[in-house]
Amino acid sequence: MTEHTDHQALSEWAENEMTLPKNSTTALRGDDAAAAGRALLERAGGGRPSLDPNAQPGEKSPRRQVRLPKPLSDRVNAIAAQQGRRPADVMREAIAEYAAHHSQPA
């Protein structure tokens, strides 16, 4: 089982099967848990860490958005599922390979 799958299984357990103490005031689920998580990330300095290992503290990775034809999107999803990865990781790797093969040497 991959790390992503382990995380997914744990998430499913926490959201659906985990039993909470009666009248718990600290355990949150669903939208309340998501809102608390977002608030915690904001207080901690803002979200996901940079993808660049050399990034300065608080520096965010640039974000690009692209629309794909459904058949191509489905292929990316299938590759990601087969490899136990996220589609974003598959696309990031594909773009890095493309850039490496099409860039002029510095």
Side-chain angles (χ1 to χ4, degrees):
M1 192 180 267
T2 66
E3 183 177 312
H4 175 72
T5 306
D6 290 342
H7 179 269
Q8 186 65 32
L10 183 59
S11 174
E12 290 291 326
W13 170 80
E15 291 178 6
N16 300 306
E17 299 171 23
M18 179 176 74
T19 56
L20 301 173
K22 247 186 184 171
N23 301 320
S24 172
T25 59
T26 57
L28 301 174
R29 289 184 184 246
D31 292 339
D32 291 336
R38 283 191 295 275
L40 179 61
L41 286 174
E42 279 298 316
R43 287 193 308 271
R48 296 180 176 159
S50 177
L51 296 170
D52 182 355
N54 300 316
Q56 299 298 314
E59 184 178 347
K60 295 182 180 182
S61 296
R63 181 177 176 161
R64 304 278 181 161
Q65 292 182 307
V66 60
R67 293 175 44 165
L68 301 174
K70 180 148 177 31
L72 180 56
S73 180
D74 291 344
R75 288 173 59 194
V76 170
N77 289 340
I79 291 166
Q82 179 184 18
Q83 295 178 354
R85 300 167 65 197
R86 297 178 308 150
D89 295 330
V90 171
M91 290 186 291
R92 192 175 297 113
E93 181 180 311
I95 292 168
E97 287 181 23
Y98 183 91
H101 286 92
H102 292 84
S103 296
Q104 297 293 327

